Amino acid sequence: MLRFYIIFSLFLHSCVAVHKTPAAAAAVPTKKWLTLNGQEPAVVARGGFSGLFPESSASANALAISTSSSGLTMLCNLQMTNDGVGLCLPDIRLDNSTTISTLFPKGQKTYKVNGQDLKGWFALDYSADTIFSNVSLVQNILSRPSIFDGQMPISAVEDVLGTKPPKFWLSVQYDSFYTEHKLSAAEYLKTLRFRRINFISSPEIAFLKTIGMDVGSANTKLIFEFKDPEAIEPTTNKKYSELLLNLAAIKAFASGVLVPKDYIWPLDSANYLKPATTFVADAHKAGLEVYASGFANDLRTSFNYSYDPSAEYLQFVDNDQFSVDGFVTDFPPTASQAISCLSHQKGNLPKANHALVITHNGASGDYPGCTDLAYQKAVDDGADVIDCSVQMSKDGITFCHDSADLTASTNAMTTFMSRATSVPEIQPTNGIFSFDLTWAEIQSLKPQIQSPFLTKGGFQRNPLNKNAGKFMTLAVFLEFSKAKAVTGVLINIQNAAYLASKKGLGIVDSVKSAVTKSTLDKQLTQKVLIQSDDSSVLSGFPGVPPFTRVLTIGKEIGDAPKPSVDEIKKHAEAVNLMRSSLVTTSESFATGKTNVVEEMHKGNVSVYVSVLRNEYLSIAFDYFSDPTVELATFIAGNGVDGVVTEFPATATRYLRSPCSDLNKEQPYAILPAEAGALLSVAAKEAQPPVSAPNPPLDPKDVIDPPLPPVANIVSANATGEASQHASGTIATSANLGLSLLAILVLGLLFAAE
């Protein structure tokens, strides 16, 4: 146990978000809030940092305090043992959050709770000594870390109060049930004398009225909790939706209300935001504070938030209509940074860091990649550099598309299935490739938004716009970038050797021609980044402004020895690296940090990291399932020169925040995660196996053979019929190559979206 707390204290020392001294806070201008009293919204940690550790464990409470804003409120859900001791546990049944079912397999019982029969293990069937001596906590949400299960004891209410949180909130959910079984939450609170209890909430009116006289001198706020609108309040036997109509009556016994967030910003059946209700305005008019619940970084919510949890918090506090008075959340650092760092960013604020925000197929998290809508969204979101991965049509038109294979991001499979071929030089699976279709045929296709976590976790992106937008030629893309005055463009050149030798298409010359015609090569205002995984392609472009040559290293590396960096410098001024080449991970835990960025910088080579996404499935637990913390880790922690992202709005919001400048005094700062710190808290036997380190970058990995000359191949006719030459792979075997399995899988994907 001593070892655990020593390790945990080290983890707290390297935590990712900290509040600073009152002196620093005084130096920052006060923000104006539309809360009831005009003060900053409160952050209420449900069971401490329950998004990582088991709810109300000592670890969850300590981490919440150390990573959140200075006015944090700690919430404990009260359960009671048969000898009247108060426990902090998430539910009246203990089997989903503790080890009790394995220790007492015959202890399952059925009780009627609020008119419903509930089966499980209940605290009131056990003494406090039995529970404290035998039972430990587990994480009760399966998507969260399980390696801490069975290692942490259950906390009594007094234990949590003993951590001296800035504020304390006691949630009493089941007073009528406990009263029925000869236990009294009110009497238990009297034994505590309400000391250091700032808030007491309950969904039961009778309980709040009972303790109302006792809390007067203790300066404790009473909060009435609304449940589902159709649920019945036990005292009045009325639906909560009926009680909603008379907020003035609630003011008679409570100073505030706690409501599910949908009471304020409801969602339609497609999971998009509906207009806000008048609930906050009505409650404020009645003199009631409003606290919203149901916030967590790893829960699916409205598509309007683009999987960015900070965007959801801002929706509730940073609008022109109202602000809630506080959040109840499982991830208190994210709420803290939204309030202290990311709110009130009006206008085009300057960035606090030099790192570039580079798109990956435009804002492809919100619209089909490489379409006019994705690029416009990227510009609106403040991206510095918009990108075009150049592909070529059969008739030699260069256009922007993520891959030469059109099957994943268009409806090509249903329209041009007969053109399916196998091209092992490009990918191991069959596809319908751009160089086998004319530009007119490509223009007839519908774009399809790519949802990389649809199959794994059911995370769909912006379904209302899944087929929106039009693809751009490279020439139109370059003119668009000039008109929008973006900081720069990134032109990614793929498959140059194959296109030249097998298809007679000179993609390098086509790109050079397009850049020349756009006159971007004759100015120094906008950057022109030329990217490729082929060093011979990059050698064909000048290494002087406005050009910056970027070498893509598409394999995981753990080191960048000087000979390799020297070889890179012959061809490029920057590299684009995988996230795992900078921070290694195992089973969603960050395990270590490499020195690759430092080694590249010693050689005067800039480093971009890719690809960053907002879906929590792509984000290590160490980053708190929060894309903003991941950005801080790569930018402030690793010192990268740019981030390649499908959600530029999230990156821009972070970089425009004063909290991203760690050299500036702020009341709160978003610090990088310390790789390995979170994992070290778990018992050794629970940790995932140690992976072998990534290999160092070898100079041979950088050197590519010279590009072959462009072959003189007869092009296809206007009908799209293949020409008679060696590279035209149109045999019947091509059709047979698109297997039935692939057809079924892709068909299911289309059906799902």
Side-chain angles (χ1 to χ4, degrees):
M1 183 61 69
L2 178 61
R3 172 186 173 275
F4 173 83
Y5 284 109
I6 291 173
I7 293 175
F8 190 69
S9 67
L10 292 174
F11 172 64
L12 294 183
H13 182 71
S14 60
C15 60
V16 302
V18 294
H19 53 266
K20 295 190 177 180
T21 62
V28 179
T30 303
K31 296 179 180 180
K32 295 182 179 179
W33 298 98
L34 298 177
T35 54
L36 178 64
N37 55 19
Q39 296 180 358
E40 182 176 282
V43 176
V44 183
R46 188 181 73 90
F49 201 145
S50 54
L52 273 184
F53 294 107
E55 183 170 328
S56 291
S57 62
S59 304
N61 295 331
L63 186 59
I65 293 172
S66 67
T67 60
S68 304
S69 50
S70 58
L72 177 75
T73 300
M74 192 78 68
L75 185 146
C76 160
N77 281 301
L78 176 68
Q79 312 303 333
M80 300 190 72
T81 62
N82 61 16
D83 48 355
V85 174
L87 309 177
C88 293
L89 287 166
D91 188 66
I92 194 169
R93 291 169 293 182
L94 309 188
D95 38 301
N96 193 38
S97 58
T98 75
T99 57
I100 196 167
S101 62
T102 58
L103 296 168
F104 302 100
K106 297 182 180 180
Q108 188 180 54
K109 290 188 177 180
T110 300
Y111 286 104
K112 191 172 289 294
V113 181
N114 293 337
Q116 293 185 334
D117 288 334
L118 295 184
K119 181 183 292 186
W121 282 255
F122 295 78
L124 59 76
D125 291 322
Y126 303 89
S127 68
D129 182 65
T130 299
I131 288 180
F132 290 140
S133 301
N134 297 280
V135 183
S136 54
L137 295 166
V138 300
Q139 177 58 260
N140 65 334
I141 295 180
L142 296 179
S143 61
R144 297 175 180 175
S146 61
I147 65 171
F148 310 114
D149 289 359
Q151 301 174 40
M152 301 176 184
I154 293 173
S155 297
V157 173
E158 291 86 346
D159 294 330
V160 180
L161 284 169
T163 65
K164 297 183 179 180
K167 296 180 181 178
F168 183 75
W169 180 312
L170 193 66
S171 173
V172 182
Q173 296 284 316
Y174 302 103
D175 176 66
S176 59
F177 171 77
Y178 286 120
T179 299
E180 182 182 343
H181 294 277
K182 313 303 181 186
L183 292 169
S184 172
E187 291 301 316
Y188 172 69
L189 287 170
K190 288 179 181 179
T191 66
L192 298 177
R193 299 181 182 177
F194 300 97
R195 288 177 299 188
R196 300 198 306 274
I197 301 178
N198 305 91
F199 301 87
I200 297 174
S201 65
S202 178
E204 300 181 9
I205 292 176
F207 171 73
L208 293 176
K209 288 183 175 180
T210 297
I211 65 171
M213 296 295 294
D214 298 316
V215 302
S217 59
N219 199 29
T220 301
K221 292 183 178 180
L222 299 184
I223 308 296
F224 178 61
E225 180 178 357
F226 280 85
K227 293 293 190 179
D228 182 274
E230 296 304 304
I232 302 297
E233 192 279 319
T235 305
T236 61
N237 285 323
K238 292 182 179 180
K239 294 180 179 179
Y240 286 98
S241 58
E242 296 179 66
L243 300 176
L244 188 67
L245 302 177
N246 191 0
L247 294 176
I250 294 173
K251 176 61 178 174
F253 60 86
S255 58
V257 291
L258 173 64
V259 296
K261 59 188 178 182
D262 291 353
Y263 270 63
I264 301 167
W265 282 102
L267 305 181
D268 63 19
S269 59
N271 268 1
Y272 286 90
L273 287 175
K274 296 168 69 173
T277 68
T278 61
F279 181 84
V280 175
D282 295 341
H284 282 176
K285 186 176 180 180
L288 292 166
E289 292 181 330
V290 178
Y291 297 88
S293 65
F295 292 88
N297 296 2
D298 53 1
L299 297 180
R300 300 183 203 181
T301 183
S302 171
F303 291 114
N304 298 79
Y305 305 133
S306 300
Y307 294 105
D308 183 351
S310 293
E312 181 176 27
Y313 289 111
L314 294 173
Q315 186 75 21
F316 284 77
V317 299
D318 196 12
N319 61 72
D320 296 331
Q321 304 173 53
F322 61 83
S323 170
V324 298
D325 299 277
F327 301 105
V328 176
T329 174
D330 295 2
F331 292 81
T334 304
S336 297
Q337 73 191 19
I339 294 168
S340 300
C341 302
L342 306 177
S343 62
H344 299 163
Q345 286 190 11
K346 302 300 182 184
N348 189 19
L349 297 177
K351 294 196 305 179
N353 190 289
H354 73 282
L356 294 172
V357 176
I358 306 169
T359 65
H360 184 244
N361 305 321
S364 54
D366 292 304
Y367 289 97
C370 297
T371 61
D372 53 347
L373 295 179
Y375 289 128
Q376 183 60 58
K377 181 70 164 56
V379 172
D380 295 341
D381 289 344
D384 298 306
V385 177
I386 57 175
D387 71 303
C388 171
S389 288
V390 181
Q391 311 301 334
M392 295 196 76
S393 65
K394 193 170 189 175
D395 46 353
I397 303 299
T398 53
F399 68 101
C400 303
H401 192 266
D402 180 51
S403 168
D405 182 8
L406 304 175
T407 55
S409 56
T410 73
N411 64 335
M413 191 189 68
T414 57
T415 308
F416 295 108
M417 187 179 294
S418 62
R419 307 285 187 90
T421 59
S422 173
V423 184
E425 296 94 330
I426 292 179
Q427 63 185 39
T429 56
N430 302 333
I432 301 171
F433 296 94
S434 65
F435 44 73
D436 290 329
L437 275 65
T438 66
W439 174 237
E441 290 172 327
I442 293 169
Q443 285 181 297
S444 71
L445 297 173
K446 288 184 178 180
Q448 173 73 38
I449 197 168
Q450 296 189 65
S451 301
F453 303 102
L454 179 63
T455 303
K456 180 180 179 181
F459 286 82
Q460 189 175 15
R461 291 179 173 179
N462 197 7
L464 284 184
N465 291 287
K466 66 179 182 180
N467 300 118
K470 297 179 180 179
F471 294 122
M472 282 186 175
T473 64
L474 176 59
V476 172
F477 168 82
L478 295 176
E479 289 304 315
F480 173 86
S481 68
K482 288 175 62 179
K484 299 300 180 180
V486 293
T487 300
V489 296
L490 184 147
I491 302 172
N492 185 30
I493 300 176
Q494 305 172 338
N495 310 313
Y498 175 83
L499 291 172
S501 62
K502 302 294 186 179
K503 294 296 178 180
L505 297 170
I507 190 171
V508 173
D509 290 338
S510 296
V511 168
K512 288 181 178 178
S513 175
V515 172
T516 298
K517 288 180 181 178
S518 72
T519 69
L520 282 172
D521 60 338
K522 299 177 179 63
Q523 51 80 53
L524 298 176
T525 304
Q526 292 178 285
K527 300 176 184 291
V528 180
L529 282 64
I530 303 295
Q531 177 175 286
S532 182
D533 60 357
D534 190 326
S535 59
S536 294
V537 169
L538 299 179
S539 296
F541 291 86
V544 295
F547 291 99
T548 298
R549 299 171 300 179
V550 183
L551 178 66
T552 301
I553 299 177
K555 58 177 285 186
E556 293 182 336
I557 62 172
D559 192 18
K562 188 175 184 300
S564 299
V565 177
D566 290 341
E567 188 62 41
I568 289 171
K569 290 171 64 177
K570 296 176 184 178
H571 312 281
E573 292 73 50
V575 290
N576 188 343
L577 302 176
M578 302 171 65
R579 296 180 301 167
S580 53
S581 291
L582 307 186
V583 178
T584 56
T585 60
S586 177
E587 297 184 12
S588 295
F589 286 94
T591 56
K593 175 181 176 293
T594 72
N595 293 320
V596 171
V597 174
E598 291 87 342
E599 291 161 340
M600 291 289 182
H601 282 173
K602 286 179 183 177
N604 200 29
V605 175
S606 298
V607 178
Y608 309 136
V609 62
S610 64
V611 171
L612 274 63
R613 300 181 170 102
N614 282 2
E615 291 94 340
Y616 79 85
L617 289 179
S618 73
I619 300 172
F621 291 130
D622 305 69
Y623 309 145
F624 300 170
S625 302
D626 183 351
T628 298
V629 177
E630 183 178 40
L631 285 161
T633 301
F634 285 116
I635 294 172
N638 289 75
V640 300
D641 303 283
V643 290
V644 180
T645 175
E646 295 175 345
F647 296 89
T650 300
T652 301
R653 186 185 295 121
Y654 163 71
L655 286 168
R656 287 177 177 172
S657 164
C659 300
S660 66
D661 184 355
L662 302 186
N663 296 315
K664 187 175 181 180
E665 282 297 320
Q666 295 289 332
Y668 187 84
I670 307 170
L671 301 183
E674 185 72 23
L678 179 60
L679 194 60
S680 68
V681 177
K684 196 71 176 178
E685 60 272 16
Q687 297 179 18
V690 178
S691 302
N694 293 335
L697 180 65
D698 193 291
K700 293 183 296 185
D701 297 328
V702 177
I703 303 170
D704 290 294
L707 291 178
V710 178
N712 185 15
I713 298 174
V714 178
S715 62
N717 61 35
T719 65
E721 295 176 354
S723 57
Q724 301 300 314
H725 52 75
S727 64
T729 312
I730 61 164
T732 305
S733 60
N735 295 333
L736 295 176
L738 191 61
S739 67
L740 179 60
L741 177 60
I743 294 172
L744 289 173
V745 170
L746 288 170
L748 287 172
L749 289 177
F750 275 87
E753 300 199 14

